[in-house]
Amino acid sequence: MSEAADPTVSPDSLSSRLPAPSPPADTCALPRTRLGLPVLERESQLASLGQFTIEATRGAGRLVLLAGEAGVGKSTLLEALRQDLVGARCSWSACDGLFVPRPLGPLFDLADQLGGDLLQRCHTGSDREGLFRALLHKIGERDVVDVVVIEDIHWADEATLDLLRFLSRRLRDAAVLIIATYRDDEAVSDALRLTLGDLAAQPSTRRIRLSPLSLDAVRLLAQDSGSNGDRLFELTGGNPFYVTELLQAGLAEVPVSARDVVLARAARLGNRARTSLDVAALIGARVDVSLLAKLCPNPTALDELLASGLLVADGRWLRFRHEIARLAIAQAIPAHRARSTHQQLLTALCGHDCADEARMAFHAEGSGNEEAVLRYAPAAARRAARLGSHHEAAAQFERALRFADGAGLVERAELSEGLADEAALLGRLSVAEDAAERALSLWREAGDRLREGAALARLSRIKWSMGRGRDAVAAARASMSVLEPLGSTVELARAYATLANQRMLFAEYDTATTLARRAQELAERFGATDVLSDALNTEAVSGSCQSLEWLVLMRRALDIALAGRHQKQAARAHVNLSVIAVEQWRLAEAERYIAEGIEYCADHGLATYAIRLHGEQAKLFERTGRWEEAMALTHKLFRDADQSPVNRLGGLIRLGVIRARRGEVGAWECLDEAAAIADDQDEPPYKVGTRLARAEAYWLADDHMEARREAELADQAAGTSVPWQRGAVAVWLRRTGSERPVCGDVAEPHCYLLGGDTTRAAQAWTRLGCRYEAGMALLDSGHETFLRQALTAFADLGASAAATLTRRALRRLGARAVPTGPRGTTRAHPLGLTRREHEVLGLIAEGHTNARIGERLFISVKTVDHHVSAILAKLGVTDRAAAGRVARPDLPS
């Protein structure tokens, strides 16, 4: 956790606290020009940045989120910080405002400045995990304090946002200050909003927001120019960028469009300088001087640009003083000139050392050069996919397809397949389906049966994700009918693996295992380790559902995927490890598996799998009585993610059953929608889970006839399913008075309950950490002592509907002094903490480390980290010691 702030430190003394100066080669790349204007009303923010830098020198790394409206002075503040730093190694980077951002553009900017292994990996095309770790290693060197700036993350690509998440989780012991700036004066993307939420939860994160200047500050800036400060403030609202532009341009009024302020300054340039300015604006945020000189070989024009202040020098680069200015210039270029300039840039960039496929594709599209778009956009898409920038990869495939009308069948089919794969990863399932259907049609037209079979398997997987199980199975069978006559191929192995997974989900476990083993045999013959991992995964899940050994197979599937860097298969293995552990009520193991899986998916940009893991985490919260956390996480998933029907189904069941237990409104709204989805999916596990939830809700409402009907529907769908699910069905059949016989094996707690041993059943549930299920077992006993214990459990959980039924049972027995209301412990926690957070806080106050807390509570250290971060945020404190001081009055003596 962070150290307490040092009240004796001021920005003026900051340099004395930092290491000796770095060599000249490591000097800071931040802008150095202030145009003679003072930094006003930024003293407190500058002092905070200075304090965070000092904390970083002590090994307590910091990530600062610096927010403010466009033009409010974020870059100016950072420049002022740079001037205060002595001995720190500063590195500057920025996200491009291009239509499709360069994947990991800021990381490559930093590599140019930091060099070493990081730069070597960038040149050799290392994978993104290697790049992330190389950057972390480079900026974590103990002989220097690193200040790393990433500007304009509102334009960041997906992989760059993942990089920020990666770094934020690893700053605790690093001598690093990372500052990320973004605009908050406009609607941010969903990706950025989610990232900001994730970053804010990390203990190393700090926030700073810049506000516009006050009237007094604007008057001070205006006093030497002869301008009316009051009028200037009225026109600009105190926005420093517009204030500066008006003072520089000598304008008395802000034109209708703010961009015209910039254009008015540009209009004072000579023709050659203005042409150079236009070219620079189309190059991007950072302008390579040698590239600009190729198109505009006039030193005088460059001198004029620098003198104007619109561009500033930064080593071998030029930068626009503000991105608003660059965009204003770029958008004002006439279409015919922009097209011509893009073509000139495209030609000049060929063979240029700063070129990359994304930038080439941008200029190719701007020039309308179809051939160049089809050369660079697909390459940019595949590179983005390798780096985990799946949004950018999809956008590049879409860019290529806009220019592909004249391309051949094979090229169009491959582009469509690329878009289908990336869109499926992003949850854009209708786009994925359209692209996959188009690819299938093109392969058929081309007469390529092998690729046609593979396209059918791809389409099957997409349709399954859309909740159209029957269509998915039909496509998988069609794939096999096309591929089997062609003999043994990798594509046939993948088709077997696809159908095996679907048979497994339909509870046809023997068939699934047979198909999975066929897929494994072919995959091993052809060295297709991704297919091998997939098939082993499916066999493991099938085995778990038949009470067979499964963990060894699943671990092998995960190890093969990790070794082969098959990220989707590794994520699937993480998901299924978690799912099986939760379904088998191995909840302590599940918590560890979920934490490991979420970290892997976050590091590799696999949002679709992360959503599924968070769904399992919410289910675990529900089963362990952490209902507030379960509902909050479920609502967050519904709000933040485009979910498949299957993922939504789990959330609906969870919300419905918790509301039913609490006697709250809205339970049936969720459970009715869940039933519709489960029936449409037609997969037994989903039907059973939904019908059992509905049986419980009816039973809690004292409608035993409907509860029995739902329990029997669950029994009808279950067949001889897994022991845990079979046991739950058997218990609800008995609880609702059904006369149906129990079929198949049942798990231990259910077995005890069905045998009439409610005490052992309750003990078994308590050992698993499931107080509600333990209470239900005690309620079934019908004995007063056990009923009172059940009532205590239900009251503590806030399960008012179950508590009401328990009170009725006590009164029927003639019990006296039956409690009539909720216990005091169910009231809102005075510190706003959940039950588990309260437990963690108590152990913090006792001085335990996170590792020890994890051992005491049987949860992973990473989970403890998350709880500690949430506690610090809720208490409004910055370190564990302060949290402990707040906690002590609240804790029992």
Side-chain angles (χ1 to χ4, degrees):
M1 298 300 99
S2 65
E3 302 177 27
D6 184 351
T8 66
V9 175
S10 68
D12 293 334
S13 65
L14 177 59
S15 60
S16 66
R17 304 292 297 274
L18 294 171
S22 303
D26 288 331
T27 56
C28 183
L30 285 167
R32 301 172 181 272
T33 303
R34 289 292 314 127
L35 297 178
L37 296 174
V39 180
L40 297 177
E41 297 185 333
R42 299 294 185 253
E43 294 83 2
S44 65
Q45 294 91 344
L46 191 58
S48 294
L49 288 174
Q51 176 61 38
F52 300 152
T53 308
I54 291 170
E55 291 170 5
T57 68
R58 299 168 176 166
R62 294 287 178 259
L63 168 64
V64 179
L65 300 175
L66 179 57
E69 66 184 45
V72 80
K74 299 182 288 293
S75 296
T76 300
L77 178 69
L78 296 180
E79 182 183 351
L81 173 68
R82 180 198 63 79
Q83 293 173 352
D84 277 343
L85 297 178
V86 176
R89 178 172 62 183
C90 301
S91 308
W92 178 87
S93 65
C95 302
D96 291 325
L98 302 175
F99 176 68
V100 181
R102 292 179 298 151
L104 290 179
L107 184 146
F108 287 96
D109 289 345
L110 295 172
D112 284 339
Q113 299 160 62
L114 296 170
D117 179 60
L118 174 62
L119 183 60
Q120 180 66 24
R121 285 177 176 271
C122 289
H123 286 328
T124 58
S126 175
D127 63 23
R128 84 176 207 160
E129 184 175 5
L131 293 173
F132 284 10
R133 295 194 181 279
L135 175 61
L136 181 66
H137 176 75
K138 188 65 178 176
I139 63 177
E141 293 172 344
R142 281 298 184 179
D143 59 342
V144 66
V145 177
D146 274 288
V147 177
V148 176
V149 175
I150 304 177
E151 291 204 271
D152 297 327
I153 64 169
H154 48 272
W155 283 321
D157 66 289
E158 187 178 1
T160 296
L161 295 178
D162 288 338
L163 172 63
L164 285 171
R165 290 189 181 95
F166 176 90
L167 294 173
S168 71
R169 296 194 297 272
R170 294 164 173 83
L171 290 180
R172 178 174 297 175
D173 300 317
V176 178
L177 174 67
I178 299 174
I179 306 172
T181 75
Y182 67 97
R183 296 181 186 174
D184 64 355
D185 58 336
E186 53 193 58
V188 300
S189 67
D190 289 342
L192 178 59
R193 177 162 49 82
L194 291 172
T195 301
L196 293 174
D198 291 343
L199 297 178
Q202 297 299 323
S204 61
T205 300
R206 301 292 183 268
R207 287 180 176 270
I208 295 177
R209 188 182 188 281
L210 296 185
S211 300
L213 300 175
S214 68
L215 174 58
D216 288 341
V218 175
R219 284 172 175 168
L220 183 60
L221 289 173
Q223 65 184 7
D224 294 332
S225 68
S227 299
N228 183 316
D230 291 49
R231 179 59 176 158
L232 187 61
F233 180 79
E234 180 184 344
L235 291 169
T236 63
N239 182 287
F241 175 76
Y242 296 134
V243 170
T244 302
E245 289 301 317
L246 283 178
L247 291 175
Q248 292 291 324
L251 298 177
E253 298 286 336
V254 174
V256 176
S257 172
R259 73 188 184 99
D260 289 344
V261 178
V262 177
L263 297 180
R265 274 183 81 185
R268 292 154 52 182
L269 298 171
N271 290 338
R272 290 180 177 177
R274 179 54 196 270
T275 299
S276 297
L277 183 67
D278 289 351
V279 173
L282 293 179
I283 290 176
R286 299 178 75 204
V287 182
D288 188 302
V289 174
S290 63
L291 178 62
L292 182 61
K294 279 188 178 182
L295 273 69
C296 306
N298 189 302
T300 304
L302 181 57
D303 291 341
E304 187 178 351
L305 276 182
L306 292 171
S308 74
L310 287 166
L311 285 172
V312 295
D314 177 14
R316 71 182 183 91
W317 302 89
L318 300 177
R319 309 180 61 239
F320 277 83
R321 191 167 56 83
H322 199 287
E323 186 64 9
I324 291 175
R326 188 188 75 80
L327 291 174
I329 299 297
Q331 292 166 5
I333 301 172
H336 69 281
R337 284 185 51 211
R339 187 183 180 101
S340 173
T341 303
H342 276 300
Q343 182 58 53
Q344 292 173 12
L345 284 167
L346 184 63
T347 301
L349 280 169
C350 289
H352 198 277
D353 60 3
C354 72
D356 61 54
E357 296 96 341
R359 189 171 296 280
M360 300 291 278
F362 169 68
H363 292 306
E365 183 175 34
S367 66
N369 188 326
E370 177 181 320
E371 180 183 354
V373 169
L374 292 178
R375 182 185 311 128
Y376 296 115
R382 295 181 179 105
R383 185 166 188 263
R386 288 195 303 273
L387 294 175
S389 287
H390 300 293
H391 286 280
E392 287 66 37
Q396 293 288 7
F397 278 124
E398 287 173 320
R399 169 183 271 163
L401 284 166
R402 289 196 294 273
F403 285 79
D405 289 345
L409 293 175
V410 171
E411 187 171 10
R412 281 184 285 150
E414 290 177 341
L415 291 174
S416 297
E417 285 182 342
L419 176 58
D421 290 340
E422 295 304 315
L425 270 179
L426 297 171
R428 296 171 57 191
L429 297 179
S430 60
V431 173
E433 182 185 33
D434 288 344
E437 293 274 15
R438 185 166 58 248
L440 174 61
S441 177
L442 289 165
W443 289 125
R444 281 174 173 164
E445 187 177 349
D448 191 327
R449 296 285 283 170
L450 189 65
R451 300 296 290 270
E452 177 188 344
L456 281 163
R458 173 183 288 102
L459 187 60
S460 173
R461 293 190 292 271
I462 292 169
K463 288 182 181 295
W464 193 274
S465 298
M466 299 177 77
R468 287 156 49 190
R470 295 183 184 86
D471 292 343
V473 171
R477 293 193 184 282
S479 173
M480 290 178 58
S481 70
V482 170
L483 292 170
E484 283 181 325
L486 302 179
S488 298
T489 61
V490 171
E491 289 76 11
L492 181 59
R494 189 165 281 111
Y496 279 139
T498 298
L499 189 58
N501 182 43
Q502 294 170 2
R503 292 299 87 201
M504 177 266 291
L505 291 169
F506 272 109
E508 297 177 11
Y509 303 122
D510 290 335
T511 302
T513 298
T514 299
L515 290 166
R517 288 175 178 171
R518 288 182 190 170
Q520 291 169 43
E521 180 184 347
L522 288 174
E524 288 180 326
R525 184 187 307 176
F526 292 103
T529 52
D530 61 327
V531 180
L532 178 59
S533 172
D534 190 38
L536 283 166
N537 190 319
T538 297
E539 183 181 354
V541 176
S542 296
S544 75
C545 294
Q546 297 173 294
S547 300
L548 302 174
E549 169 56 43
W550 63 273
L551 187 57
V552 172
L553 287 171
M554 189 65 75
R555 282 292 185 188
R556 186 180 172 215
L558 177 59
D559 291 343
I560 288 172
L562 292 173
R565 297 185 178 180
H566 304 305
Q567 295 176 8
K568 288 186 285 187
Q569 297 306 331
R572 183 182 178 226
H574 278 299
V575 167
N576 283 340
L577 269 172
S578 303
V579 169
I580 295 171
V582 171
E583 289 305 309
Q584 294 187 352
W585 298 76
R586 298 161 66 162
L587 302 181
E589 293 175 47
E591 190 152 21
R592 184 175 72 254
Y593 294 152
I594 289 168
E596 292 171 354
I598 288 174
E599 180 177 10
Y600 180 86
C601 291
D603 287 348
H604 294 85
L606 300 167
T608 301
Y609 294 94
I611 290 169
R612 182 68 190 278
L613 284 163
H614 280 298
E616 290 302 310
Q617 186 177 49
K619 185 187 291 186
L620 184 145
F621 290 159
E622 178 262 311
R623 291 190 169 182
T624 53
R626 295 147 69 180
W627 292 350
E628 286 296 336
E629 293 172 83
M631 295 184 74
L633 181 52
T634 301
H635 284 303
K636 184 176 186 297
L637 288 171
F638 281 176
R639 181 177 66 252
D640 294 342
D642 293 329
Q643 295 195 319
S644 69
V646 171
N647 288 341
R648 181 168 178 81
L649 174 62
L652 290 168
I653 293 174
R654 198 156 44 247
L655 292 179
V657 79
I658 292 174
R659 288 172 179 173
R661 291 169 181 175
R662 288 176 160 181
E664 296 174 348
V665 298
W668 286 108
E669 176 184 343
C670 295
L671 294 176
D672 287 343
E673 184 181 346
I677 293 175
D679 289 343
D680 186 58
Q681 285 292 110
D682 198 29
E683 294 178 35
Y686 301 140
K687 285 187 173 183
V688 174
T690 303
R691 294 299 169 183
L692 287 180
R694 292 170 66 84
E696 181 180 353
Y698 278 122
W699 185 82
L700 289 168
D702 215 19
D703 188 342
H704 286 252
M705 183 178 295
E706 284 298 316
R708 185 183 309 119
R709 187 178 71 84
E710 293 287 350
E712 290 175 349
L713 287 172
D715 181 56
Q716 181 179 325
T720 55
S721 59
V722 298
W724 282 96
Q725 194 174 72
R726 185 68 253 165
V729 171
V731 165
W732 278 105
L733 287 173
R734 174 170 295 190
R735 194 170 278 156
T736 58
S738 175
E739 296 181 357
R740 287 196 176 201
V742 175
C743 300
D745 296 332
V746 298
E748 182 183 81
H750 304 304
C751 187
Y752 292 144
L753 195 60
L754 293 169
D757 195 341
T758 55
T759 301
R760 292 184 71 183
Q763 290 172 346
W765 284 120
T766 300
R767 285 195 300 272
L768 292 170
C770 305
R771 294 193 69 197
Y772 181 79
E773 284 73 16
M776 291 291 284
L778 293 169
L779 175 57
D780 285 348
S781 71
H783 297 295
E784 180 177 345
T785 300
F786 293 155
L787 289 174
R788 289 186 182 277
Q789 293 175 13
L791 183 58
T792 298
F794 294 146
D796 285 346
L797 290 166
S800 59
T804 296
L805 293 180
T806 308
R807 292 189 190 97
R808 289 178 189 169
L810 283 166
R811 293 189 185 104
R812 284 196 298 269
L813 292 175
R816 296 181 179 182
V818 178
T820 58
R823 294 163 54 87
T825 54
T826 65
R827 301 190 190 106
H829 190 284
L831 300 177
L833 305 181
T834 65
R835 178 176 62 84
R836 180 50 61 92
E837 288 168 354
H838 178 74
E839 293 172 345
V840 172
L841 178 59
L843 294 171
I844 288 173
E846 293 174 11
H848 294 292
T849 64
N850 284 8
R852 181 58 180 153
I853 292 172
E855 292 173 2
R856 291 279 295 272
L857 299 180
F858 302 101
I859 58 179
S860 69
V861 176
K862 290 185 180 297
T863 300
V864 178
D865 289 343
H866 294 316
H867 286 313
V868 172
S869 298
I871 290 167
L872 297 183
K874 289 181 179 181
L875 300 187
V877 297
T878 58
D879 56 52
R880 299 165 66 93
R885 289 192 294 273
V886 172
R888 286 188 186 95
D890 175 63
L891 296 172
S893 57

